[in-house]
Amino acid sequence: MDTTIIINPATDEKVAEYNRISVETAKDKIATANNAFQIWKKEPMVNRAKLMHKLADVLDKNKEEYAQLATREMGKTIGQSRKEIEKCAWICRYYADNTKDLLANETVKTEASKSYVTFQPIGVVLAVMPWNFPFYQVIRFAAPALMAGNTGVLKHASNVQGCAFAIEDAFRKAGFPEGAFTNLNLSAKYVKDVIEDKNIVAVTLTGSDPAGRSVASIAGQNLKKSVMELGGSDAYVILDDADIDKATDLATLGRLQNNGQTCIAAKRFVVLEAIYDEFLASYIKKMKAAKMGEPTDETSYYGPMARKDLRDELHEQVQKTIAQGGKLVLGGVIPDRIGAYYPATILADLKPGMEGFDNELFGPVASVIKAKDEQEAIALANNSQFGLGSGVITSNPERGEKVALQLEAGSSFVNKLVASDPRLPFGGIKNSGYGRELSGYGIREFVNTKSIWID
């Protein structure tokens, strides 16, 4: 029997083992999801909303259990795990309360006696999800998809299968019908078979650029709608009027939250020459002071990476950047301890062509880049294959807004780290993917936008 083994990245201990299902069993579960869709799509919106509110209540009630599970499986600090569950409940309540308006018919004046646009569910949506936010990534897709009247099946990352089954159980506890949301503990090699299944109508993926290209290609070949939320190498422009203390506080949190494993995390800091040295000195001090420790320790600022192979790949990227001329000013040494730990690391004086400038560093490593003026800073920030998030730090919000509008990304935040919010669309451009999640834009990705004409 093929199994999924879960290893605690903080202790290297085996914490769970799950039997994987066959592709035939997966197809049976997808057929059940399609049968559920035939009933669920007719369920009045008010009834869907009641169940989504119950799901939020289940998440709240079991917050500590779910948070401990996420921390045990992928290593995020316990405080951040709790916040993740709270955010999931917020998203559920947002869509429960707002879907009626977000999907309301839109009247269009034409020569007809009556014409309008309506938004109808389309069927079973497959979600291929990553491990870094094991609850949130799933709820971000599932809440709007199910509130719109679709059903969902999940192919989650293998190292967070406990979280995947916990989410499936949460939907069951909330009273959703059997098949409305289903976890498929399936080997990644069968994703193609699942996408090609006749009952799957659309695919959403959050993950790496290579994974996105593969899944999008299969979906495209089968003429199935897809949404891709891929990697990012988010640039933050630090203007010369910025408060250095505030800027380095944001930079520290931006690089170490979720142990540095966030697609929209601040990764490249483009600092104007006039304050570059002062920024770097303050940043080194704060990153050095941040406590790396057991993720269950409430005082730990950050914990281990999710897996040792990922930690080792990150270290190789750091070494490559140094070999290319980047300056290591903090960290960069794998600690002699149990677990997939990597220290807070800063690479300075980076330039285009270096690994730490061109590619995503998915861990607690920051890239600091010097720019002679504002326009060069914007050009350096936009010199990227990615375009997920971006930011500006300045004491002048109007100036920050002007810069933000010139940054090539799906989001640009001024004086705040980029964060997803159910009220705002979330997604990227370039190699960061396409389509949007969250808000009204996200819920309309997986509906039939249908024109009605009555003469």
Side-chain angles (χ1 to χ4, degrees):
M1 177 70 72
D2 189 15
T3 60
T4 299
I5 298 174
I6 312 297
I7 302 296
N8 185 327
T11 65
D12 291 342
E13 295 173 344
K14 174 182 171 181
V15 296
E17 184 172 353
Y18 300 93
N19 291 329
R20 283 180 171 155
I21 61 174
S22 67
V23 69
E24 290 77 20
T25 300
K27 287 178 176 289
D28 288 343
K29 288 178 177 289
I30 294 167
T32 299
N34 184 58
N35 292 335
F37 167 68
Q38 305 307 322
I39 300 169
W40 181 247
K41 68 180 179 180
K42 301 173 185 176
E43 192 73 28
M45 186 74 72
V46 64
N47 292 349
R48 293 183 212 158
K50 286 179 181 177
L51 291 180
M52 195 58 67
H53 270 295
K54 287 183 179 178
L55 178 59
D57 293 340
V58 170
L59 290 166
D60 283 339
K61 181 180 179 181
N62 297 280
K63 179 174 70 173
E64 189 62 26
E65 175 189 341
Y66 295 156
Q68 293 287 346
L69 178 59
T71 292
R72 189 162 59 248
E73 291 197 330
M74 62 72 56
K76 73 170 74 227
T77 58
I78 187 61
Q80 292 185 26
S81 290
R82 294 184 188 115
K83 289 180 181 178
E84 179 175 340
I85 305 304
E86 290 168 3
K87 190 168 188 176
C88 289
W90 176 30
I91 291 171
C92 291
R93 293 189 175 103
Y94 172 81
Y95 279 107
D97 293 338
N98 292 285
T99 295
K100 182 179 179 180
D101 293 333
L102 295 174
L103 295 182
N105 292 344
E106 296 181 357
T107 299
V108 180
K109 291 184 178 181
T110 67
E111 295 81 9
S113 59
K114 184 179 183 180
S115 53
Y116 61 96
V117 178
T118 191
F119 306 95
Q120 297 180 329
I122 56 176
V124 184
V125 180
L126 167 67
V128 181
M129 292 290 119
W131 44 262
N132 57 334
F133 289 92
F135 281 84
Y136 164 68
Q137 303 279 15
V138 177
I139 295 298
R140 190 173 76 190
F141 123 79
L146 269 69
M147 277 304 302
N150 302 304
T151 55
V153 293
L154 168 68
K155 164 61 185 82
H156 216 332
S158 60
N159 60 323
V160 290
Q161 276 303 308
C163 295
F165 282 115
I167 297 167
E168 182 183 55
D169 185 59
F171 274 92
R172 190 176 296 114
K173 287 176 177 176
F176 282 82
E178 191 68 26
F181 179 89
T182 307
N183 177 46
L184 306 176
N185 183 17
L186 190 72
S187 172
K189 65 183 178 182
Y190 296 124
V191 168
K192 181 176 185 291
D193 298 273
V194 170
I195 295 173
E196 292 176 343
D197 187 282
K198 65 180 181 179
N199 290 318
I200 295 294
V201 298
V203 186
T204 179
L205 177 142
T206 299
S208 67
D209 176 7
R213 290 178 186 275
S214 175
V215 168
S217 175
I218 299 166
Q221 289 169 11
N222 289 273
L223 295 179
K224 296 183 179 183
K225 175 71 181 292
S226 63
V227 168
M228 296 288 129
E229 195 272 279
L230 309 179
S233 187
D234 291 10
Y236 275 67
V237 174
I238 317 296
L239 297 177
D240 50 11
D241 61 358
D243 180 314
I244 299 295
D245 191 50
K246 179 179 180 179
T248 49
D249 276 347
L250 287 171
T252 302
L253 177 60
R255 220 44 230 110
L256 299 182
Q257 64 178 336
N258 209 45
N259 308 338
Q261 301 161 129
T262 305
C263 55
I264 53 170
K267 296 185 177 79
R268 295 184 300 138
F269 299 93
V270 185
V271 187
L272 265 60
E273 188 174 48
I275 60 167
Y276 182 87
D277 291 341
E278 186 181 359
F279 173 90
L280 189 57
S282 175
Y283 195 25
I284 291 170
K285 182 178 180 181
K286 290 181 179 179
M287 288 278 276
K288 188 175 183 179
K291 179 183 176 181
M292 177 178 73
E294 290 287 334
T296 54
D297 183 345
E298 303 279 356
T299 67
S300 293
Y301 197 104
Y302 66 108
M305 293 181 61
R307 301 195 311 262
K308 280 188 173 180
D309 62 309
L310 298 172
R311 188 270 311 275
D312 294 343
E313 288 172 12
L314 178 68
H315 185 61
E316 288 178 7
Q317 288 182 289
V318 169
Q319 295 301 307
K320 184 176 180 180
T321 304
I322 295 169
Q324 292 169 331
K327 185 179 179 182
L328 178 67
V329 296
L330 181 69
V333 178
I334 296 176
D336 183 17
R337 62 181 295 176
I338 292 172
Y341 289 91
Y342 198 75
T345 298
I346 300 176
L347 298 167
D349 299 345
L350 299 197
K351 294 177 172 56
M354 295 181 181
E355 179 72 15
F357 186 102
D358 293 346
N359 294 310
E360 182 176 31
L361 300 180
F362 209 64
V365 180
S367 298
V368 183
I369 301 149
K370 184 187 295 185
K372 66 177 184 293
D373 56 31
E374 184 178 300
Q375 286 308 306
E376 184 181 50
I378 294 169
L380 287 166
N382 290 337
N383 185 354
S384 175
Q385 62 178 310
F386 299 107
L388 191 54
S390 59
V392 187
I393 302 177
T394 174
S395 62
N396 184 338
E398 291 183 358
R399 182 185 180 192
E401 182 180 1
K402 290 178 181 178
V403 172
L405 286 167
Q406 298 176 69
L407 297 177
E408 298 168 354
S411 299
S412 289
F413 281 36
V414 179
N415 293 330
K416 189 180 185 299
L417 295 174
V418 172
S420 59
D421 184 313
R423 299 164 294 187
L424 292 170
F426 180 82
I429 59 174
K430 302 182 183 180
N431 287 355
S432 290
Y434 53 79
R436 291 296 179 265
E437 295 181 284
L438 301 177
S439 78
Y441 295 94
I443 198 171
R444 290 185 179 187
E445 288 283 2
F446 295 124
V447 295
N448 175 18
T449 303
K450 184 175 181 179
S451 297
I452 300 293
W453 178 292
I454 302 169
D455 213 346

